[in-house]
């Protein structure tokens, strides 16, 4: 089970931290991701972090503004979002990387809504 | 960056119909492609990975094929639960989703 929290209304230029609490699998054994979906739009991959937290990658649209992290002792994934823009408005899903090779996702949370507006 | 393009954007079909959705990549992604189903208000669900491997628990009426730059998702006999939006995703280089194909009731 993956449960996101922290979604909120925030002003442009503001900051927000999302959390994703995980249960039901060995969190520390899998890479984790954030994927977002703007209202009425398609899916956009945002970021991935390795199982140990030692490596992270970002979409160009958020690079330098968002930071993904994890606490394996708390089974929790995070997304720190700074300098937020209107175009960051979306439902943010955390998603577990499937076993084996490849950045595809076998379990997803229910999503957290982030609204960036003045 | 690798771009993904799906067609059609919307598809109208009836229960029992055979449905095919196409996904094209802007460059070769080998067979590093997944398909997801998303129902309204719900999170996406993994259907197919590595272009043609069926995720555990997914009905056998779903199948995937293709390699390189052109891929298809086929639903052999459309069921009421299958009316949803379908997305392809490449994971050859980072990750990119297609824009989605909405399967509507005819």
């Amino acid at each position: 089970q993956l449960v996101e929290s922290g979604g909120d209304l925030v002003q442009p230029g503001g900051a927000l931290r999302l959390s994703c609490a995980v249960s039901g699998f060995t969190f520390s054994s899998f890479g984790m991701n954030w994927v977002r979906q703007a209202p009425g739009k398609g899916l956009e991959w945002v970021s991935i972090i390795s199982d140990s937290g030692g490596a992270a990658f970002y979409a160009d649209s958020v690079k330098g503004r968002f930071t993904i992290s994890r606490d394996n002792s708390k089974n929790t994934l995070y997304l720190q979002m700074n300098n937020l823009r209107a175009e960051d408005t979306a439902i943010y899903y955390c998603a577990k990387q499937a076993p084996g090779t490849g950045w595809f996702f076998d379990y997803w949370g229910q999503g957290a809504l982030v609204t960036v507006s003045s | 960056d690798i771009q993904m393009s799906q067609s059609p954007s919307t598809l109208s079909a009836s229960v029992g119909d055979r449905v095919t959705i196409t996904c094209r990549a802007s460059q070769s992604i080998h067979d590093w492609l997944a398909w997801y189903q998303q129902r309204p208000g719900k999170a996406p669900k993994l259907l197919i990975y590595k272009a043609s491997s069926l995720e555990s628990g997914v009905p056998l009426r779903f199948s995937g094929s293709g390699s390189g730059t052109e891929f298809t998702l086929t639903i052999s006999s459309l069921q009421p639960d299958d009316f949803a939006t379908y997305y392809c995703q490449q994971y050859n280089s980072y990750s990119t989703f297609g824009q989605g194909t909405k399967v509507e009731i005819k």
Side-chain angles (χ1 to χ4, degrees):
Chain A
Q1 189 179 9
L2 295 82
V3 180
E4 301 93 338
S5 61
D8 205 347
L9 170 64
V10 60
Q11 292 189 340
L16 202 61
R17 188 176 84 157
L18 301 181
S19 300
C20 173
V22 168
S23 61
F25 63 89
T26 306
F27 180 66
S28 58
S29 295
F30 297 96
M32 294 293 297
N33 296 262
W34 290 99
V35 177
R36 68 185 181 183
Q37 186 169 35
K41 302 297 184 182
L43 301 169
E44 180 188 13
W45 172 79
V46 172
S47 182
I48 187 171
I49 188 167
S50 63
D51 53 3
S52 66
F57 299 90
Y58 300 89
D60 287 344
S61 57
V62 306
K63 200 174 296 182
R65 300 187 298 123
F66 289 12
T67 302
I68 191 171
S69 62
R70 64 191 297 162
D71 185 336
N72 285 346
S73 68
K74 296 182 178 179
N75 287 355
T76 303
L77 174 73
Y78 302 100
L79 184 68
Q80 177 66 45
M81 303 182 291
N82 296 333
N83 191 18
L84 283 160
R85 305 167 179 167
E87 55 265 35
D88 296 318
T89 294
I91 296 172
Y92 285 73
Y93 295 100
C94 62
K96 170 186 166 289
Q97 187 175 348
T101 303
W103 293 4
F104 60 98
F105 319 129
D106 58 354
Y107 288 97
W108 298 62
Q110 85 289 349
L113 177 62
V114 173
T115 303
V116 184
S117 176
S118 55
Chain B
D1 290 5
I2 299 176
Q3 309 301 317
M4 305 300 291
S5 175
Q6 288 182 233
S7 60
S9 296
T10 305
L11 187 160
S12 296
S14 302
V15 172
D17 283 354
R18 181 181 180 89
V19 165
T20 299
I21 298 168
T22 298
C23 178
R24 291 185 174 86
S26 59
Q27 64 189 74
S28 176
I29 58 169
H30 309 286
D31 58 359
W32 302 119
L33 185 103
W35 289 97
Y36 299 85
Q37 176 194 67
Q38 186 178 33
R39 297 190 178 100
K42 301 295 186 183
K45 173 188 174 183
L46 177 65
L47 300 175
I48 302 281
Y49 60 94
K50 211 166 184 293
S52 60
S53 296
L54 193 68
E55 173 69 351
S56 176
V58 173
L60 293 176
R61 63 181 179 272
F62 291 93
S63 63
S65 64
S67 66
T69 62
E70 188 154 334
F71 303 85
T72 58
L73 173 70
T74 300
I75 309 172
S76 60
S77 177
L78 201 64
Q79 299 301 301
D81 273 352
D82 302 339
F83 291 98
T85 300
Y86 294 84
Y87 294 93
C88 62
Q89 176 217 7
Q90 70 81 17
Y91 50 96
N92 177 74
S93 174
Y94 293 82
S95 177
T96 316
F97 290 89
Q99 82 278 15
T101 295
K102 185 176 182 180
V103 177
E104 295 182 329
I105 299 173
K106 191 172 185 179

